[in-house]
């Protein structure tokens, strides 16, 4: 079934590209080998955008509620995507990700956990990516999507180089180790954000103006982030998906 789903998906992603124009900076040939792909999360379209404009298919982590839709369940299973139950530490998802990495497969997850309405910055990161990278000695590759994707509007994505967390391989996996490693992942992704902003600024490309509704949502989000930052500092967990999240 997997080969058939991939064949259908290969045709579909080429057919859909004209409706989601994206300029990509960086490496587009993302090999499906043992690695963790980590990106910012600004839209429910993010997994599709990354898959559509890069070569090969990788396994994404997604919220388990999507399995209630038969077609999506068929697609996700065929592409070896990983369902995660929100609001808890999902050990089944953790074991599946570890198995995929052990079998030399790439896995993509979004350390922010939930969609971020404030595209001008990154929100607090959860520790799953750091945990998996250290435990399996997997390299990481960051990417950054510039703005919330909208059909027929041009967007921009930058894909960074692989890096490893070798300095943590011989350390015990504890709160402090995960916090430090997670901060490095966030710094790598934030560097991509600044790099892409610089490129687009030089080209005279500006963000569209936000609507009053979007501004209010960003303000509410910023308030929520202050609380989340304290919670994460007290108890780092691999997965903690809230009600609004669609892909971890």
């Amino acid at each position: 079934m997997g080969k058939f789903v991939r064949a259908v998906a290969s045709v579909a992603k080429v057919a859909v590209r004209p409706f989601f124009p994206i300029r990509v900076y960086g490496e587009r040939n993302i090999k499906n080998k043992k690695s963790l792909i980590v990106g910012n999360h600004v839209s429910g379209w993010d997994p599709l955008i990354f898959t559509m404009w890069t070569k090969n298919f990788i396994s994404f982590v997604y919220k388990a509620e999507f399995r209630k839709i038969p077609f999506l369940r068929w697609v996700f299973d065929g592409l070896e995507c990983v369902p995660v139950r929100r609001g808890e530490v999902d050990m089944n998802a953790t074991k599946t990700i570890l198995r995929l990495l052990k079998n030399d497969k790439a896995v993509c997850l979004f350390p922010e956990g939930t969609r971020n309405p404030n595209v001008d910055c990154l929100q607090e990161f959860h520790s799953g990516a750091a945990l998996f990278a250290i435990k399996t000695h997997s390299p990481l590759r960051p990417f950054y999507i510039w703005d919330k994707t909208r059909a027929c509007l041009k967007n921009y994505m930058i894909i960074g180089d692989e890096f490893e967390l070798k300095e943590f391989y011989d350390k015990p996996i504890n709160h402090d180790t995960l916090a430090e490693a997670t901060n490095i992942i966030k710094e790598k992704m934030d560097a991509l954000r600044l790099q892409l902003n610089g490129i687009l600024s030089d080209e005279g490309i500006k963000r569209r103006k936000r609507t009053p509704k979007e501004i209010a949502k960003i303000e509410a989000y910023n308030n929520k982030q202050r609380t989340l930052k304290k919670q994460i500092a007290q108890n780092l967990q691999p997965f903690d998906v809230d009600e609004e999240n669609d892909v971890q």
Side-chain angles (χ1 to χ4, degrees):
M1 180 181 72
K3 291 183 179 180
F4 179 70
V5 173
R6 289 172 186 270
V8 172
S10 296
V11 174
K13 78 176 192 174
V14 173
V16 174
R17 274 181 186 171
F19 300 99
F20 296 95
I22 305 289
R23 182 187 294 180
V24 181
Y25 300 87
E27 179 62 61
R28 291 176 56 180
N29 185 17
I30 307 301
K31 296 180 180 180
N32 193 359
K33 64 179 182 65
K34 185 175 80 168
S35 58
L36 286 157
I37 315 299
V38 291
N40 64 320
H41 197 13
V42 293
S43 166
W45 293 105
D46 295 341
L48 177 63
I49 293 303
F50 186 83
T51 300
M52 189 190 315
W53 289 98
T54 57
K55 298 180 180 179
N56 302 316
F57 288 97
I58 61 176
S59 300
F60 278 83
V61 176
Y62 69 98
K63 73 174 184 179
E65 284 82 349
F66 280 137
R67 296 191 62 76
K68 296 177 182 178
I69 304 173
F71 175 73
L72 292 180
R73 182 171 65 246
W74 176 73
V75 172
F76 291 149
D77 287 348
L79 297 178
E80 292 188 287
C81 293
V82 184
V84 59
R85 295 189 300 274
R86 59 188 180 179
E88 61 182 278
V89 177
D90 191 335
M91 293 308 300
N92 286 331
T94 298
K95 291 177 181 178
T96 300
I97 292 171
L98 292 174
R99 175 179 57 78
L100 287 169
L101 293 171
K102 183 179 179 180
N103 291 336
D104 203 31
K105 298 290 183 69
V107 177
C108 181
L109 51 81
F110 299 98
E112 292 175 292
T114 188
R115 285 170 288 179
N116 179 0
N118 189 353
V119 296
D120 295 315
C121 67
L122 295 170
Q123 62 174 296
E124 294 304 313
F125 277 23
H126 296 278
S127 62
L131 171 67
F132 298 130
I134 295 171
K135 193 173 184 64
T136 64
H137 294 188
S138 297
L140 300 103
R141 183 185 292 274
F143 70 93
Y144 184 85
I145 298 175
W146 191 59
D147 205 348
K148 183 176 181 180
T149 299
R150 293 171 179 256
C152 300
L153 291 180
K154 192 167 187 178
N155 203 351
Y156 305 87
M157 176 171 67
I158 186 168
I159 301 172
D161 297 328
E162 280 191 348
F163 67 95
E164 295 186 60
L165 298 172
K166 290 183 178 180
E167 61 267 42
F168 300 100
Y169 289 172
D170 295 328
K171 293 183 178 181
I173 301 178
N174 54 33
H175 179 282
D176 292 338
T177 299
L178 290 178
E180 187 177 352
T182 298
N183 188 56
I184 290 175
I185 296 172
K186 186 175 182 181
E187 287 178 348
K188 292 282 188 179
M189 198 178 300
D190 202 44
L192 279 185
R193 178 184 69 84
L194 295 174
Q195 182 181 349
L196 183 57
N197 284 345
I199 292 172
L200 299 182
S201 177
D202 291 342
E203 296 180 3
I205 298 172
K206 298 180 180 180
R207 295 191 188 277
R208 62 178 177 82
K209 291 185 178 180
R210 302 300 162 187
T211 66
K213 184 178 180 179
E214 287 176 322
I215 293 173
K217 190 173 183 179
I218 289 172
E219 290 177 352
Y221 151 81
N222 287 338
N223 290 331
K224 184 178 180 180
Q225 284 303 297
R226 296 185 185 97
T227 301
L228 178 61
K229 185 176 182 179
K230 295 178 181 179
Q231 293 175 343
I232 292 177
Q234 293 172 356
N235 185 25
L236 288 169
Q237 294 183 359
F239 294 111
D240 185 9
V241 186
D242 68 17
E243 295 181 356
E244 295 181 356
N245 184 36
D246 61 334
V247 182
Q248 165 90 6

